[in-house]
Amino acid sequence: MRDRLLETPSQTAGPYVHIGTAPQSIGRPPLINQPGPVIESNTGEAIVIEGTVLDGAGAPVRDAMLEIWQADGLGRIGEFGLFGRTVADFSSGLFRFQSVRPGAHAQGHAPHVALLIFARGINIHLHTRIYFPQDLEAMEQDSDMKRLEPEARETLIAREAGRNEAGLPVYRFDIRLQGAGETVFFDI
Amino acid sequence: MTTDFYRRDRAQHPAPYAPGYKSTVLRAPFRPLHALEQTALDKTGPALGHAPLGPLDHDLIRNAATTGDALGERIYVFGRVLDENGRPVPNALIEVWQANAAGRYAHVRDGYLAPLDPNFSGCGRCVSDADGRYLFRTIKPGPYPWPNNGSDWRPAHIHLSIFGEAFAQRLITQLYFEGDPLIPLCPIVNTIADKSAVDRLVARLDLRNQEPFDCLAYRFDIVLRGRRQTHFENRPEGL
Ligand SMILES: [Fe+3]
């Protein structure tokens, strides 16, 4: 006999997720204390993370909403943890965060960003991680990364993609929902 | 170190690939999810429910009003946010969005012919109190058609996004209204195989909590993932 309550079931965020989670993206005034794509922190190197969510036919998912949660540049979480939210561009599907490169938050774990993906047609959000190419050595020691096949591991490592107009390093992280090169999604 | 959350019971959730809802066909991963141990990062989360909200954020009847109240059937939606252990989750941030009484979203991409309401944006937020209680005031949204198998119709629903204390508890869902004949016909509802799970997405009419001569009330409790218990801990009361 189960002595616990059952978690409320998920339902898709649908195509109008912007109304409730990112009103500025549809030309409405932002709400106070509403998280956005730019995370201010002076604890590490400021970076840009950008990419596209691609469906099984290779088409950009232009109604995606994405959230990140990460340690700050010093590896601190909890009250120092950094949260950001963004939505895909309505025409190109490109999403973009500005953040800092995270420090390692625990022994045996390479620095990474936790990433959630919500969209129409995604019935329960997808959870993945973004690792950075500078941390290859730490990834060798990372118990989670070690359990993945090399090609699966590859889907979690952002690619250096030059600098933006403001001189910030840009990391490219594309997400393939289905099929060839499918991103690894986690049950955590 | 904080204890782990129970694993998500995926049988309580919709199947990712559910061809009756066509948008899932190209968006559901083919490969199974990769199970991981929870790290400290997964077991913490942003304290969004501790930051002040706008004074009308919880009142969708007034928060976008220009010439008067939003049109439609005036309702409270209220309930408690609990975890799987039956404990209240305080300071949970609940963000909601919905169509207006005619079934039209105030969104650049909604082209449904039903009229917009100049006094309604369909965007609201509230935070649960120390007992996990939350409340917002709105109008009952209308059903609307959408292209799926020809013109399918969504039952009246409100979208909810919930942040508990940890990223592992993150949840986005939709609530439906008791007695709506469109619920069992909806391809999105039917991505959930277990009918008793669907039933837990249905808000119940609660006349005792109405505002007389003003506003009906619907009760909807939300359950987020809970942390594993040790054997030494007493069972919570009132389950
Ligand atoms: Fe909807």
Side-chain angles (χ1 to χ4, degrees):
Chain A
M1 182 59 199
R2 191 188 173 96
D3 61 352
R4 303 197 324 248
L5 301 179
L6 294 164
E7 188 188 13
T8 299
S10 172
Q11 290 273 264
T12 179
Y16 306 125
V17 63
H18 316 84
I19 296 174
T21 64
Q24 326 84 289
S25 68
I26 50 166
R28 298 213 51 102
L31 307 181
I32 67 161
N33 292 318
Q34 193 156 51
V38 177
I39 304 171
E40 306 282 358
S41 172
N42 56 12
T43 59
E45 183 193 20
I47 61 167
V48 169
I49 302 170
E50 64 178 34
T52 309
V53 183
L54 300 163
D55 73 13
V61 173
R62 291 177 301 206
D63 46 23
M65 190 271 281
L66 302 98
E67 293 177 343
I68 57 174
W69 173 240
Q70 61 166 90
D72 71 6
L74 304 172
R76 298 179 302 178
I77 55 170
E79 60 182 307
F80 301 105
L82 304 177
F83 177 76
R85 172 188 275 170
T86 195
V87 293
D89 181 83
F90 284 176
S91 45
S92 68
L94 195 72
F95 70 84
R96 182 178 289 124
F97 290 100
Q98 185 184 316
S99 185
V100 295
R101 203 145 63 74
H105 69 267
Q107 284 281 322
H109 288 284
H112 63 264
V113 170
L115 172 69
L116 304 185
I117 302 139
F118 303 85
R120 171 176 63 88
I122 295 180
N123 286 331
I124 177 163
H125 60 272
L126 297 168
H127 186 144
T128 188
R129 288 179 176 175
I130 307 170
Y131 289 82
F132 295 89
Q134 291 87 341
D135 300 317
L136 286 177
E137 252 175 61
M139 280 181 237
E140 299 287 323
Q141 308 303 318
D142 183 301
S143 50
D144 295 329
M145 284 299 247
K146 276 198 285 198
R147 287 170 51 215
L148 292 172
E149 299 292 322
E151 62 271 23
R153 202 180 304 176
E154 211 52 45
T155 69
L156 304 180
I157 306 171
R159 185 165 54 74
E160 287 175 276
R163 288 180 180 268
N164 73 358
E165 329 71 66
L168 299 182
V170 176
Y171 291 87
R172 179 86 190 187
F173 190 78
D174 290 325
I175 296 144
R176 289 177 178 79
L177 295 179
Q178 187 187 83
E182 185 173 306
T183 300
V184 176
F185 299 108
F186 297 114
D187 183 27
I188 290 180
Chain B
M1 191 58 251
T2 51
T3 53
D4 280 14
F5 287 88
Y6 296 113
R7 288 250 159 224
R8 217 162 216 144
D9 178 358
R10 301 260 163 193
Q12 296 299 319
H13 289 284
Y17 181 82
Y21 172 25
K22 289 191 174 157
S23 299
T24 67
V25 171
L26 286 173
R27 294 185 173 192
F30 287 154
R31 296 166 56 150
L33 299 178
H34 185 90
L36 284 187
E37 296 300 313
Q38 296 160 19
T39 73
L41 187 65
D42 307 312
K43 292 186 275 187
T44 57
L48 299 175
H50 293 263
L53 303 182
L56 290 179
D57 281 5
H58 70 291
D59 185 3
L60 287 78
I61 289 182
R62 297 253 163 91
N63 68 15
T66 49
T67 60
D69 285 1
L71 287 177
E73 192 177 326
R74 300 159 71 87
I75 59 171
Y76 287 133
V77 174
F78 74 101
R80 292 181 81 195
V81 186
L82 303 169
D83 69 18
E84 289 170 286
N85 297 311
R87 297 204 176 97
V89 180
N91 302 115
L93 175 69
I94 303 173
E95 298 166 293
V96 300
W97 63 102
Q98 63 168 89
N100 69 20
R104 173 85 181 267
Y105 282 96
H107 189 288
V108 286
R109 287 195 185 163
D110 187 0
Y112 181 32
L113 54 77
L116 285 168
D117 177 349
N119 294 309
F120 188 73
S121 73
C123 168
R125 297 187 298 182
C126 64
V127 165
S128 62
D129 71 10
D131 296 319
R133 292 176 203 286
Y134 76 92
L135 174 141
F136 54 94
R137 189 173 80 148
T138 186
I139 52 88
K140 191 173 172 191
Y144 59 81
W146 59 298
N148 186 56
N149 289 302
S151 175
D152 276 322
W153 286 79
R154 294 303 324 278
H157 62 277
I158 298 177
H159 296 265
L160 300 98
S161 157
I162 306 119
F163 284 89
E165 56 169 329
F167 217 45
Q169 294 177 309
R170 188 79 179 88
L171 183 70
I172 285 188
T173 189
Q174 304 180 27
L175 74 75
Y176 304 99
F177 292 89
E178 183 176 6
D180 188 336
L182 292 170
I183 294 172
L185 305 178
C186 175
I188 290 178
V189 171
N190 289 331
T191 60
I192 302 174
D194 181 339
K195 293 305 158 215
S196 69
V198 170
D199 201 50
R200 287 184 288 110
L201 292 179
V202 178
R204 309 282 159 195
L205 181 67
D206 183 335
L207 284 177
R208 282 174 313 159
N209 283 290
Q210 67 175 297
E211 195 70 49
F213 304 103
D214 180 346
C215 198
L216 280 173
Y218 282 89
R219 181 177 182 112
F220 184 70
D221 289 336
I222 297 163
V223 181
L224 302 180
R225 292 169 73 183
R227 293 182 191 272
R228 290 181 188 284
Q229 310 265 49
T230 65
H231 291 294
F232 310 103
E233 226 166 335
N234 288 325
R235 282 231 195 123
E237 298 294 323
L239 286 191

